[in-house]
Amino acid sequence: HKELIEQLISGGDCRNLEFICMNEAAGYMTMNEMIEIGKRAKSQGRNHFDEYVVDPDETSIILFTSGTTSLAKAVQLSHRNITSNIYALNVTEEVREDDINMAFLPYHHTFGMMAQMVVLSAGAATTYCDGLKYIQKNIVEYKVSVFVCVPLLIESMYKKIMSTIKKQNKESKVKFAMKLSGFLLKFGIDIRRKLFKEVHEQLGGNLRFIISGASGIDPEVLKGFTAFGFDTVQGYGMTETSPVLTAESLVEQRIGSIGKAVPGVELCIENPNEDGIGEIVARGPNIMKGYFENPEATDEILEDGWLHTGDLGYMDKDGYLFICGRKKNVIVLKNGKNVYPEELEVLISSYPYVEENMVYGEPKKKDGNENDLALVAKIVYKPDIMEEQYNATTEEEIEKIIKADIDRINDRLPAYKQLNRIQITDQPMIKTTTGKVKRYANI
């Protein structure tokens, strides 16, 4: 990349920067040379770095929120915020010293940053992905054993595995094997890696542990990967909480929930309704200092040390948290019923041709007057799956298949939750860097 560096310098934007090369490169300082300069400086008495006292509550990093429902805000996190979360995750998750992790998430996102810090603190190694289309190749090549990712990626991987199984006419055989392995696990008998040897070989044979975060994952995918022998857990949090509030562990999981509060974090459900659903509020050493130069927004979310997440959910008697959806996303119908779009999106995403989808409300019109809200599903489909598995290539054929599947979903739902309209496209939605759909930008 020498040519690129010279281009940047000549362009004037980077004249005051010193480029450090990891390997030998004529004309540039190398990493080893920089280390030697530091050693000489220290031997000559320049030891002010050793004497520097870290203020645990001083802002150590400013990160922006993902901005899925509104404009992004700058979150101030302290040393205490970050280190408390590293400790909590080391206690909760089983990352081993001999593990090999593949970094996929961007470091400017709290989940990606925290995942890397936890891996480093456990003494494990990190490799880097060459790009989305090389993920499977890289997992095999680097002998990856631990993978921290977002649902969009793991759901895509799972659908690809199941699609291959279907093409090989092994669907019924594999489903029986998944039930068998799940039954035996209840008695402490784990034969998953033997039963699904071919699946493991496709992913290098070393992958054992997957951590999913940043948004909710389809429970069927979670169960499926675990049944194959890839122990899969998920966590929940936000940039403002450094980021993890709750997490599953290998010994504490409950289908449908996103785990229990991690050590040091307190959770409470504020103003619960008759079903126990209310806003999730939290406090602990991982709660941000506030939004940078935005006291009004800080006061809206922080109250007496409690952070209002903007998410709706409920907790069971054992402390497992269940998410219902974003407070801002809830569709309130005129009959007083609440519809949580995320619940419907999980059902839609179960179909193999669904790349991504979003449910929202828009005004109905009756006799020329607006009357209540219609539930709309915007669905991005995969043309290749439609052609290979459904023999559908025209817009009419594709729309007919999707409408029939939406009708099947509606048959399982009460009347007020049924989808009234659909939008179909093969063009991707506008998303954040971690693959979450930006709702306000896609309506």
Side-chain angles (χ1 to χ4, degrees), residues 131 148 189 202 246 305 322 334 353 355 362 367 381 384 401 405 440:
V148 182
I189 303 170
Q202 288 178 32
T246 73
F322 295 78
K334 288 196 173 180
Y353 56 77
E355 182 73 47
E362 68 179 17
D367 300 326
Y381 67 88
D384 56 338
I401 289 166
D405 285 337
Y440 68 91

Side-chain angles (χ1 to χ4, degrees), residues 354-399:
V354 177
E355 182 73 47
E356 55 197 10
N357 77 94
M358 181 181 76
V359 173
Y360 62 96
E362 68 179 17
K364 276 183 181 177
K365 287 190 176 180
K366 188 176 181 181
D367 300 326
N369 299 313
E370 292 192 358
N371 179 43
D372 214 345
L373 293 173
L375 299 182
V376 185
K378 184 175 181 178
I379 298 170
V380 178
Y381 67 88
K382 300 177 182 178
D384 56 338
I385 298 295
M386 277 295 187
E387 184 174 358
E388 291 171 13
Q389 295 189 21
Y390 297 85
N391 197 29
T393 55
T394 67
E395 287 185 17
E396 293 77 13
E397 290 170 337
I398 291 168
E399 186 174 346

Side-chain angles (χ1 to χ4, degrees), residues 139-421:
I139 289 175
V140 175
E141 181 182 0
Y142 303 141
K143 297 180 171 58
V144 173
S145 59
V146 173
F147 189 28
V148 182
C149 63
V150 292
L152 186 67
L153 179 57
I154 189 172
E155 288 170 0
S156 178
M157 289 171 64
Y158 182 72
K159 285 179 180 179
K160 189 174 181 180
I161 290 170
M162 295 305 292
S163 178
T164 301
I165 289 168
K166 190 171 184 177
K167 285 180 185 177
Q168 296 172 344
N169 294 318
K170 294 181 178 179
E171 200 171 12
S172 57
K173 183 180 178 181
V174 167
K175 286 184 177 180
F176 173 77
M178 290 168 77
K179 287 181 181 179
L180 176 63
S181 69
F183 174 75
L184 292 176
L185 269 179
K186 294 178 181 178
F187 301 94
I189 303 170
D190 190 353
I191 60 169
R192 293 175 297 170
R193 298 187 81 88
K194 290 182 180 179
L195 276 176
F196 304 106
K197 185 180 178 182
E198 287 183 32
V199 177
H200 281 268
E201 286 175 349
Q202 288 178 32
L203 295 171
N206 296 287
L207 188 62
R208 67 168 188 88
F209 190 29
I210 301 172
I211 302 173
S212 175
S215 59
I217 189 170
D218 182 346
E220 287 302 312
V221 173
L222 198 68
K223 285 192 293 183
F225 258 95
T226 300
F228 284 144
F230 307 109
D231 288 319
T232 307
V233 300
Q234 62 178 332
Y236 157 74
M238 53 199 299
T239 308
E240 292 88 342
T241 61
S242 306
V244 183
L245 288 172
T246 73
E248 296 179 311
S249 70
L250 294 179
V251 294
E252 287 190 318
Q253 288 183 282
R254 186 157 293 176
I255 295 297
S257 92
I258 36 81
K260 295 182 177 181
V262 297
V265 170
E266 292 179 74
L267 292 179
C268 181
I269 303 299
E270 187 172 81
N271 300 322
N273 63 16
E274 64 274 13
D275 298 316
I277 298 171
E279 184 175 6
I280 301 163
V281 296
R283 69 177 175 184
N286 60 325
I287 303 299
M288 70 167 182
K289 294 182 65 178
Y291 295 120
F292 181 66
E293 295 184 349
N294 197 340
E296 295 84 6
T298 300
D299 290 342
E300 284 179 15
I301 196 172
L302 282 174
E303 186 178 348
D304 297 328
W306 288 91
L307 181 135
H308 292 250
T309 66
D311 288 318
L312 297 172
Y314 64 94
M315 281 192 292
D316 69 12
K317 59 183 178 61
D318 297 316
Y320 286 93
L321 181 66
F322 295 78
I323 300 286
C324 296
R326 290 289 296 170
K327 191 175 180 180
K328 290 181 180 179
N329 296 344
V330 175
I331 302 166
V332 182
L333 303 178
K334 288 196 173 180
N335 61 6
K337 296 285 188 181
N338 290 342
V339 176
Y340 305 102
E342 293 86 350
E343 178 186 354
L344 299 173
E345 288 161 4
V346 167
L347 297 176
I348 296 168
S349 68
S350 65
Y351 292 103
Y353 56 77
V354 177
E355 182 73 47
E356 55 197 10
N357 77 94
M358 181 181 76
V359 173
Y360 62 96
E362 68 179 17
K364 276 183 181 177
K365 287 190 176 180
K366 188 176 181 181
D367 300 326
N369 299 313
E370 292 192 358
N371 179 43
D372 214 345
L373 293 173
L375 299 182
V376 185
K378 184 175 181 178
I379 298 170
V380 178
Y381 67 88
K382 300 177 182 178
D384 56 338
I385 298 295
M386 277 295 187
E387 184 174 358
E388 291 171 13
Q389 295 189 21
Y390 297 85
N391 197 29
T393 55
T394 67
E395 287 185 17
E396 293 77 13
E397 290 170 337
I398 291 168
E399 186 174 346
K400 184 177 179 181
I401 289 166
I402 295 176
K403 279 185 175 180
D405 285 337
I406 293 298
D407 287 341
R408 291 186 188 93
I409 289 174
N410 282 339
D411 288 342
R412 295 149 52 190
L413 297 171
Y416 74 92
K417 287 186 181 180
Q418 291 179 8
L419 295 155
N420 311 113
R421 301 169 187 170

